[in-house]
Amino acid sequence: MTETVSAPTEATVLLVDDNPQNLKVLYETLKDKGYRLLIANDGEKALELAHRNHPEVILLDIMMPEMDGWQVCEQLKADPVTADSAVVFLSALDDVDAKVKGFALGGADYISKPFQAQEVIARVRTHARVIKLERQLQKRNRQLESDQSRILNAISEGIYGLDARGNIIFANPAAALITGYHADDLVGQNFFKLHFVDAPNPADAGEESLPVWMTCHQGVAEHERGVTMHRADGATFAAEYRATPKLEGDNGKLRGAVVVFRDITAELENERALDEARELVQEQRDQLAHASRLSTMGEMAAGVAHEVNQPLTAITNYARVARRMMAAETLDKELLAETLGKIEAQSHRASEVIRRIRRFMKKPAAGKEVLSIPALLEDTRQFAEVDMRNNEGGIEITVADDVPEVLADPVQVQQVALNLIRNALEATRSAGVADPVQVSATMMGENCVRIEVTDHGIGLPEDAEDKLFLPFYTTKEDGMGIGLPMCRSLVQAQGGDIGFERQPEGGARFFFTLPVAAGSGASCVPASQDD
């Protein structure tokens, strides 16, 4: 099959499937989404196209003749040219072993057949952005390393020898090259007047604020970065310098200073570029967390609609009653006021449901806040009422009296708590137990709060310690295995830790920790994980 290319794009996506109908569906799904699309109907063609075009994302069918998807992925990851491409497996296989194998071979994601268009679009968009950002970071790192190497190999640092008044008595060739002066012209010049044109006259006060002045006159060693110095042509450059006092004789009489300096203009620009790239990567991570909340909301949509519809229906009925009362010959004002009050109460009920949804769905705007644990857990419990009805279960919350406020992102912490509570409700129902899920908060040491969610399910498999928080590992038939890894990422971003414990009487207890707001700023992550 020949290569098919869409309009000019910002990212390249390779579609690999031996079924022409599947290729057509994928192509139609992505063709207008701003990607350069490549098509291959077998493993050999896929490897050839990937090596030649270096795609950001590869949608790879597993069950293909001659060379299956596992073999293709293994060769892609072994080739340095294609190793960083995000491989998303496509398969009707829905067992855990298949997903774990794909992840072990270097796969980035997994999409089950038959395809859901919105799922394909969302996953391709996310992986394409992440890969492009990673490649940009790698390119900038290589550029920075190359720039630093050239500076070290080709240009040494500038060196000045100064007397006690700051006059230059020695200058090496690098100092002349950096500043644009001839080396012979530098000797005899005053360092302060030469490179800091706003410097006062030597007889005037105020020189103490100038770089190197304290070293020359008081023998104080200095080190400063980002100082602005002037060149011969009047242009300025950012410099880093170290000034060491020059002492002579047994009594250590101060005779001036030795100044070592270098131009760091390019270095600062690269650092700013890297900071911007890191911010972009963090933004993508936040968007992935937001997408996870959208997915959770989609799963709960039917129940939420029912929860909102109940007060709206009640409002409609009460309004009809009020109209009939007003049409009567004798108006019962007391009964009418009571009916209007019920309408108001039901409207507040609907508004509260919508408020909780909007707060859960929003993207974090200002980062970490001081949070009340009881209020946060109660708000989460209310949001989980839909799951309580669907799973015929309950939630009991216990907060110790000594639990203080914590410092964390409210939206992300609620996302973690809701995910663990929903999992616990499902596990309890699956075991046929009617006992409520237990949610508790206690102090752990002096600077951390530990929040626990305990279910009454059948417990966790024996290999849970090694796999539970890995992407794509799940114990649910319809699970994708991204909930707990996302929870771990969110908790660690708050400076906390997450884990689980098996219960002797059955079931599992998941926990996560958060730093207290009034703490010393110490992390709640064990030292072995901080290293």
Side-chain angles (χ1 to χ4, degrees), residues 491-521:
V491 169
Q492 289 177 345
Q494 314 307 315
D497 186 28
I498 189 170
F500 70 92
E501 299 169 347
R502 291 186 172 85
Q503 300 303 296
E505 64 277 11
R509 172 179 294 151
F510 283 81
F511 67 86
F512 63 95
T513 58
L514 298 171
V516 301
S520 60

Side-chain angles (χ1 to χ4, degrees), residues 34 85 87 94 129 153 191 210 280-281 313 319 328 426 485 487 507 520:
S85 296
V87 176
D94 198 30
R129 287 176 177 174
N153 294 333
F191 170 79
L210 290 174
L280 288 174
V281 170
T313 302
E426 292 179 13
C487 286
S520 60

Side-chain angles (χ1 to χ4, degrees), residues 440-505:
S440 64
T442 57
M443 285 297 295
M444 190 183 76
E446 298 181 355
N447 298 312
C448 301
V449 173
R450 174 176 165 126
I451 299 172
E452 299 178 348
V453 179
T454 306
D455 64 50
H456 305 282
I458 61 174
L460 296 167
E462 294 182 358
D463 61 352
E465 285 84 357
D466 298 326
K467 298 181 179 179
L468 196 59
F469 289 97
L470 291 177
F472 314 123
Y473 175 79
T474 179
T475 58
K476 301 178 184 179
E477 292 184 359
D478 57 349
M480 289 299 298
I482 60 174
L484 288 178
M486 178 61 67
C487 286
R488 180 172 63 177
S489 176
L490 296 178
V491 169
Q492 289 177 345
Q494 314 307 315
D497 186 28
I498 189 170
F500 70 92
E501 299 169 347
R502 291 186 172 85
Q503 300 303 296
E505 64 277 11

Side-chain angles (χ1 to χ4, degrees), residues 383-455:
F383 201 76
E385 286 182 353
V386 174
D387 289 277
M388 284 192 285
R389 287 197 298 270
N390 292 341
N391 292 283
E392 300 177 354
I395 301 172
E396 288 187 358
I397 298 177
T398 305
V399 180
D401 294 337
D402 61 343
V403 170
E405 293 176 325
V406 299
L407 183 64
D409 187 302
V411 177
Q412 294 185 354
V413 173
Q414 187 180 63
Q415 183 174 351
V416 173
L418 181 61
N419 187 291
L420 297 182
I421 289 173
R422 295 182 71 219
N423 287 347
L425 287 168
E426 292 179 13
T428 301
R429 183 198 63 180
S430 299
V433 179
D435 295 343
V437 168
Q438 306 294 325
V439 181
S440 64
T442 57
M443 285 297 295
M444 190 183 76
E446 298 181 355
N447 298 312
C448 301
V449 173
R450 174 176 165 126
I451 299 172
E452 299 178 348
V453 179
T454 306
D455 64 50

